[in-house]
Amino acid sequence: MYRRFGVLLAAVLGVTLTAAPATADASHQQFPTEFSLPNGWQPEGIAISGTTAYFGSRADGSIYAADLRTGKGKVLAKGPGTPSLGMKVDARKRLWVSGGVGGDGRVYDTRTGALLAKFQFATADTFVNDVVLTEKSAWFTDSRKAVLYEVPLTLKPHRTLALTGDLVITPGATNLNGIVTGLDGGLLAVQSNTGKLFRIDPRTGNSINVNLSGQTLTNGDGLLREGRQLYVVQNRLNKVARYTLSRDGATLAAERTDARFDVPTTVAAFGKRLYLPNARFTTPPTPETTYNVVSVARP
Protein backbone atom coordinates (compact mmCIF):
# COMPACT_ATOMS: atom_id res chain seq x y z
CA MET A 1 0.00 0.00 0.00
CA TYR A 2 2.79 2.41 0.92
CA ARG A 3 4.64 1.65 -2.29
CA ARG A 4 1.43 2.36 -4.35
CA PHE A 5 0.92 5.63 -2.48
CA GLY A 6 4.53 6.58 -3.19
CA VAL A 7 4.11 5.94 -6.90
CA LEU A 8 0.93 8.08 -7.02
CA LEU A 9 2.63 10.88 -5.10
CA ALA A 10 5.60 10.75 -7.43
CA ALA A 11 3.29 11.02 -10.43
CA VAL A 12 1.60 14.10 -8.94
CA LEU A 13 4.94 15.74 -8.18
CA GLY A 14 6.43 14.78 -11.53
CA VAL A 15 9.42 12.87 -10.14
CA THR A 16 10.81 9.44 -10.85
CA LEU A 17 11.28 6.81 -8.17
CA THR A 18 14.42 4.67 -8.32
CA ALA A 19 15.33 1.71 -6.18
CA ALA A 20 18.15 2.29 -3.69
CA PRO A 21 21.34 0.63 -4.95
CA ALA A 22 22.57 -2.41 -3.07
CA THR A 23 25.61 -1.65 -0.95
CA ALA A 24 28.90 -3.39 -1.61
CA ASP A 25 28.71 -5.08 1.78
CA ALA A 26 25.18 -6.33 1.17
CA SER A 27 25.88 -7.66 -2.30
CA HIS A 28 29.15 -9.33 -1.39
CA GLN A 29 27.41 -11.47 1.21
CA GLN A 30 26.30 -13.61 -1.75
CA PHE A 31 29.90 -14.20 -2.82
CA PRO A 32 31.38 -17.66 -2.09
CA THR A 33 33.17 -17.82 1.24
CA GLU A 34 35.85 -20.08 -0.23
CA PHE A 35 36.93 -21.22 -3.66
CA SER A 36 39.55 -23.41 -5.28
CA LEU A 37 42.77 -22.51 -7.03
CA PRO A 38 44.31 -24.75 -9.71
CA ASN A 39 45.79 -28.02 -8.48
CA GLY A 40 49.49 -27.74 -7.77
CA TRP A 41 49.31 -23.94 -7.69
CA GLN A 42 51.13 -23.40 -4.35
CA PRO A 43 49.72 -19.93 -3.57
CA GLU A 44 51.28 -17.40 -1.23
CA GLY A 45 50.35 -13.81 -2.06
CA ILE A 46 46.98 -12.17 -2.70
CA ALA A 47 45.93 -8.77 -4.05
CA ILE A 48 42.38 -7.56 -4.66
CA SER A 49 41.30 -4.87 -7.12
CA GLY A 50 37.58 -4.32 -7.61
CA THR A 51 36.05 -7.79 -7.44
CA THR A 52 39.11 -9.53 -8.88
CA ALA A 53 41.65 -11.33 -6.70
CA TYR A 54 45.16 -12.14 -7.92
CA PHE A 55 47.29 -15.03 -6.73
CA GLY A 56 50.90 -15.88 -7.47
CA SER A 57 52.31 -19.40 -7.75
CA ARG A 58 55.31 -20.46 -5.70
CA ALA A 59 55.78 -23.30 -8.17
CA ASP A 60 56.53 -21.31 -11.34
CA GLY A 61 55.54 -17.70 -10.74
CA SER A 62 52.37 -17.71 -12.84
CA ILE A 63 49.57 -15.28 -11.95
CA TYR A 64 45.95 -16.40 -11.49
CA ALA A 65 43.00 -14.00 -11.54
CA ALA A 66 39.70 -15.01 -9.87
CA ASP A 67 36.32 -13.29 -9.71
CA LEU A 68 35.24 -12.94 -6.07
CA ARG A 69 31.61 -13.00 -7.17
CA THR A 70 31.85 -16.55 -8.52
CA GLY A 71 35.21 -17.95 -7.43
CA LYS A 72 35.98 -18.75 -11.06
CA GLY A 73 39.23 -17.66 -12.65
CA LYS A 74 41.98 -18.19 -15.17
CA VAL A 75 45.74 -17.88 -15.53
CA LEU A 76 46.50 -14.25 -16.33
CA ALA A 77 50.23 -14.61 -16.98
CA LYS A 78 52.71 -17.45 -17.25
CA GLY A 79 55.54 -17.29 -14.76
CA PRO A 80 59.31 -17.12 -15.26
CA GLY A 81 59.96 -20.39 -13.42
CA THR A 82 60.71 -18.67 -10.11
CA PRO A 83 58.10 -17.81 -7.46
CA SER A 84 55.53 -15.04 -7.32
CA LEU A 85 54.90 -14.15 -3.67
CA GLY A 86 53.58 -10.94 -2.10
CA MET A 87 51.72 -8.61 -4.48
CA LYS A 88 49.76 -5.37 -4.71
CA VAL A 89 47.70 -3.59 -7.40
CA ASP A 90 48.23 0.14 -7.98
CA ALA A 91 45.81 2.82 -9.20
CA ARG A 92 46.93 2.20 -12.80
CA LYS A 93 45.82 -1.44 -12.64
CA ARG A 94 49.38 -2.72 -12.50
CA LEU A 95 50.23 -5.77 -10.40
CA TRP A 96 53.50 -5.54 -8.47
CA VAL A 97 54.94 -8.96 -7.60
CA SER A 98 57.72 -10.14 -5.27
CA GLY A 99 59.98 -12.73 -6.87
CA GLY A 100 61.24 -14.82 -3.94
CA VAL A 101 64.44 -16.73 -4.71
CA GLY A 102 64.46 -15.07 -8.13
CA GLY A 103 65.67 -11.95 -6.34
CA ASP A 104 63.44 -9.72 -8.45
CA GLY A 105 60.29 -7.63 -8.55
CA ARG A 106 57.93 -7.71 -11.54
CA VAL A 107 55.11 -5.51 -12.79
CA TYR A 108 52.18 -6.85 -14.86
CA ASP A 109 49.27 -5.26 -16.68
CA THR A 110 46.19 -6.73 -14.97
CA ARG A 111 44.09 -6.24 -18.12
CA THR A 112 46.33 -8.16 -20.51
CA GLY A 113 48.76 -10.08 -18.32
CA ALA A 114 51.68 -8.45 -20.13
CA LEU A 115 54.95 -8.12 -18.22
CA LEU A 116 55.64 -4.38 -18.07
CA ALA A 117 58.89 -4.35 -16.12
CA LYS A 118 61.32 -6.50 -14.18
CA PHE A 119 63.79 -5.31 -11.57
CA GLN A 120 66.67 -7.57 -10.56
CA PHE A 121 67.47 -6.74 -6.95
CA ALA A 122 69.86 -9.55 -6.02
CA THR A 123 71.21 -12.82 -7.42
CA ALA A 124 72.45 -14.72 -4.35
CA ASP A 125 71.18 -15.45 -0.85
CA THR A 126 67.94 -13.62 -1.56
CA PHE A 127 64.21 -14.09 -0.95
CA VAL A 128 62.14 -11.12 -2.10
CA ASN A 129 59.03 -11.73 -0.05
CA ASP A 130 56.48 -8.91 0.03
CA VAL A 131 55.69 -5.47 -1.34
CA VAL A 132 53.77 -2.35 -0.32
CA LEU A 133 52.83 0.67 -2.42
CA THR A 134 53.16 4.29 -1.31
CA GLU A 135 52.30 7.46 -3.22
CA LYS A 136 55.59 7.38 -5.09
CA SER A 137 57.18 3.97 -4.71
CA ALA A 138 56.90 0.23 -4.31
CA TRP A 139 58.90 -1.17 -1.38
CA PHE A 140 60.01 -4.82 -1.32
CA THR A 141 61.30 -6.86 1.62
CA ASP A 142 64.11 -9.42 1.35
CA SER A 143 63.86 -12.15 3.98
CA ARG A 144 67.57 -12.90 3.74
CA LYS A 145 69.04 -9.40 3.94
CA ALA A 146 68.83 -6.24 6.06
CA VAL A 147 67.60 -4.17 3.14
CA LEU A 148 64.50 -2.85 1.42
CA TYR A 149 64.26 -2.34 -2.33
CA GLU A 150 62.52 0.80 -3.59
CA VAL A 151 61.12 1.03 -7.12
CA PRO A 152 59.58 4.34 -8.23
CA LEU A 153 56.02 3.96 -9.55
CA THR A 154 57.37 5.59 -12.71
CA LEU A 155 59.34 2.33 -13.24
CA LYS A 156 62.69 4.12 -13.04
CA PRO A 157 65.70 2.15 -11.74
CA HIS A 158 65.46 0.82 -8.21
CA ARG A 159 67.61 1.58 -5.19
CA THR A 160 68.63 -0.61 -2.27
CA LEU A 161 68.07 0.84 1.20
CA ALA A 162 70.36 -0.64 3.87
CA LEU A 163 68.59 -1.15 7.21
CA THR A 164 70.19 -0.21 10.51
CA GLY A 165 69.02 0.06 14.10
CA ASP A 166 67.17 -2.65 16.03
CA LEU A 167 66.74 -5.20 13.23
CA VAL A 168 69.12 -8.16 13.52
CA ILE A 169 69.16 -10.64 10.63
CA THR A 170 69.44 -14.37 11.34
CA PRO A 171 71.33 -16.05 8.47
CA GLY A 172 69.27 -18.65 6.61
CA ALA A 173 66.00 -17.77 8.38
CA THR A 174 62.87 -16.02 7.14
CA ASN A 175 63.49 -12.54 8.47
CA LEU A 176 61.58 -9.51 7.16
CA ASN A 177 58.34 -10.61 5.53
CA GLY A 178 55.06 -8.66 5.34
CA ILE A 179 55.23 -4.90 4.95
CA VAL A 180 52.69 -2.04 5.12
CA THR A 181 52.73 1.72 5.48
CA GLY A 182 52.78 3.09 9.01
CA LEU A 183 50.79 5.85 10.69
CA ASP A 184 53.64 8.37 10.50
CA GLY A 185 54.64 8.11 6.85
CA GLY A 186 57.12 5.35 7.59
CA LEU A 187 56.89 1.60 6.99
CA LEU A 188 56.06 -1.37 9.21
CA ALA A 189 57.52 -4.83 8.58
CA VAL A 190 57.26 -8.08 10.50
CA GLN A 191 60.21 -10.40 11.14
CA SER A 192 58.86 -13.93 10.89
CA ASN A 193 61.59 -15.80 12.75
CA THR A 194 61.58 -13.53 15.82
CA GLY A 195 57.95 -12.37 15.84
CA LYS A 196 59.05 -8.74 16.06
CA LEU A 197 57.49 -5.76 14.31
CA PHE A 198 59.69 -2.91 13.10
CA ARG A 199 59.04 0.71 12.23
CA ILE A 200 61.35 1.63 9.34
CA ASP A 201 62.30 5.13 8.20
CA PRO A 202 62.25 5.03 4.36
CA ARG A 203 64.70 7.92 4.18
CA THR A 204 67.46 6.61 6.45
CA GLY A 205 66.74 2.88 6.80
CA ASN A 206 66.71 3.12 10.60
CA SER A 207 64.58 0.36 12.18
CA ILE A 208 62.91 0.60 15.59
CA ASN A 209 61.39 -2.35 17.42
CA VAL A 210 57.66 -1.71 17.98
CA ASN A 211 56.40 -2.34 21.51
CA LEU A 212 53.81 -5.14 21.27
CA SER A 213 52.89 -5.02 24.97
CA GLY A 214 54.35 -8.43 25.68
CA GLN A 215 53.01 -10.17 22.56
CA THR A 216 55.07 -11.66 19.73
CA LEU A 217 54.06 -12.11 16.11
CA THR A 218 55.30 -15.67 15.85
CA ASN A 219 55.26 -16.85 12.22
CA GLY A 220 54.13 -13.38 11.15
CA ASP A 221 53.57 -13.28 7.40
CA GLY A 222 51.21 -11.04 5.43
CA LEU A 223 50.14 -7.68 6.88
CA LEU A 224 47.14 -5.45 6.20
CA ARG A 225 46.63 -2.02 7.74
CA GLU A 226 43.29 -0.21 7.83
CA GLY A 227 43.63 3.03 9.76
CA ARG A 228 44.97 2.14 13.20
CA GLN A 229 44.07 -1.53 12.80
CA LEU A 230 46.88 -3.85 11.75
CA TYR A 231 45.98 -7.39 10.67
CA VAL A 232 48.78 -9.95 10.95
CA VAL A 233 48.62 -13.44 9.42
CA GLN A 234 50.50 -15.95 11.56
CA ASN A 235 50.83 -18.71 9.01
CA ARG A 236 51.74 -21.94 10.80
CA LEU A 237 49.66 -20.93 13.80
CA ASN A 238 46.62 -20.83 11.49
CA LYS A 239 45.36 -17.52 12.76
CA VAL A 240 45.01 -13.84 11.94
CA ALA A 241 45.47 -11.27 14.69
CA ARG A 242 44.32 -7.65 14.86
CA TYR A 243 46.48 -5.08 16.63
CA THR A 244 45.60 -1.47 17.37
CA LEU A 245 48.46 0.85 16.51
CA SER A 246 49.44 3.88 18.57
CA ARG A 247 52.37 6.27 18.77
CA ASP A 248 53.90 4.09 21.47
CA GLY A 249 53.40 0.66 19.93
CA ALA A 250 50.68 -1.86 19.12
CA THR A 251 48.19 -3.69 21.34
CA LEU A 252 46.51 -7.01 20.58
CA ALA A 253 42.80 -6.38 20.04
CA ALA A 254 41.49 -9.70 18.70
CA GLU A 255 42.49 -13.01 17.11
CA ARG A 256 40.66 -15.32 14.76
CA THR A 257 41.21 -18.86 13.57
CA ASP A 258 39.09 -21.06 11.36
CA ALA A 259 38.79 -24.79 10.78
CA ARG A 260 39.38 -24.13 7.08
CA PHE A 261 42.78 -22.52 7.64
CA ASP A 262 45.64 -24.65 6.32
CA VAL A 263 48.68 -22.40 6.77
CA PRO A 264 47.27 -19.14 5.38
CA THR A 265 50.00 -16.72 4.39
CA THR A 266 48.72 -13.34 3.23
CA VAL A 267 45.53 -11.31 3.47
CA ALA A 268 43.46 -8.83 1.48
CA ALA A 269 40.10 -7.24 2.27
CA PHE A 270 36.83 -6.82 0.38
CA GLY A 271 33.64 -5.58 2.00
CA LYS A 272 33.44 -6.97 5.51
CA ARG A 273 35.60 -9.98 4.71
CA LEU A 274 39.26 -10.89 4.83
CA TYR A 275 40.47 -13.26 2.10
CA LEU A 276 43.41 -15.59 2.77
CA PRO A 277 45.06 -18.16 0.49
CA ASN A 278 46.02 -21.46 2.11
CA ALA A 279 49.66 -22.14 1.29
CA ARG A 280 49.60 -25.60 2.93
CA PHE A 281 53.30 -25.48 3.83
CA THR A 282 52.93 -28.66 5.90
CA THR A 283 51.57 -30.63 2.91
CA PRO A 284 54.17 -31.97 0.45
CA PRO A 285 53.38 -30.25 -2.88
CA THR A 286 52.62 -32.30 -5.98
CA PRO A 287 51.04 -31.31 -9.32
CA GLU A 288 47.74 -32.71 -7.97
CA THR A 289 47.79 -31.10 -4.53
CA THR A 290 44.66 -29.02 -4.01
CA TYR A 291 44.70 -25.39 -2.86
CA ASN A 292 42.02 -22.90 -1.96
CA VAL A 293 41.18 -19.43 -0.68
CA VAL A 294 38.96 -18.82 2.34
CA SER A 295 37.26 -15.68 3.61
CA VAL A 296 36.38 -14.78 7.19
CA ALA A 297 34.82 -11.84 8.95
CA ARG A 298 37.31 -9.40 10.41
CA PRO A 299 38.30 -10.38 13.96
Side-chain angles (χ1 to χ4, degrees), residues 3-23:
R3 171 63 179 169
R4 184 180 302 168
F5 175 77
V7 172
L8 291 173
L9 179 60
V12 172
L13 297 176
V15 299
T16 301
L17 290 179
T18 57
T23 65

Side-chain angles (χ1 to χ4, degrees), residues 174-246:
T174 301
N175 291 275
L176 287 189
N177 195 335
I179 184 170
V180 293
T181 57
L183 297 176
D184 57 359
L187 302 168
L188 293 171
V190 65
Q191 188 176 19
S192 295
N193 60 313
T194 64
K196 294 181 179 180
L197 183 70
F198 292 93
R199 183 180 295 112
I200 299 173
D201 187 326
R203 297 167 301 172
T204 66
N206 185 51
S207 64
I208 299 174
N209 189 23
V210 175
N211 180 5
L212 298 176
S213 302
Q215 300 292 323
T216 57
L217 302 177
T218 306
N219 298 130
D221 201 328
L223 302 180
L224 170 67
R225 182 176 71 82
E226 294 181 331
R228 292 186 175 275
Q229 303 307 305
L230 177 68
Y231 296 92
V232 183
V233 183
Q234 294 178 263
N235 54 37
R236 293 178 186 267
L237 299 186
N238 284 315
K239 70 179 180 180
V240 56
R242 176 169 61 86
Y243 282 75
T244 301
L245 298 171
S246 67

Side-chain angles (χ1 to χ4, degrees), residues 60-61 78-84 94-109 114-123 126 128 140 149-152 154-159:
D60 68 357
K78 291 292 186 181
T82 50
S84 287
R94 300 177 301 182
L95 182 69
W96 296 73
V97 178
S98 307
V101 294
D104 63 331
R106 285 170 270 121
V107 186
Y108 293 90
D109 187 326
L115 178 64
L116 301 176
K118 177 181 176 180
F119 300 89
Q120 192 66 51
F121 304 133
T123 56
T126 181
V128 181
F140 294 81
Y149 306 114
E150 180 189 16
V151 178
T154 56
L155 304 184
K156 291 181 179 179
H158 76 278
R159 72 160 176 143

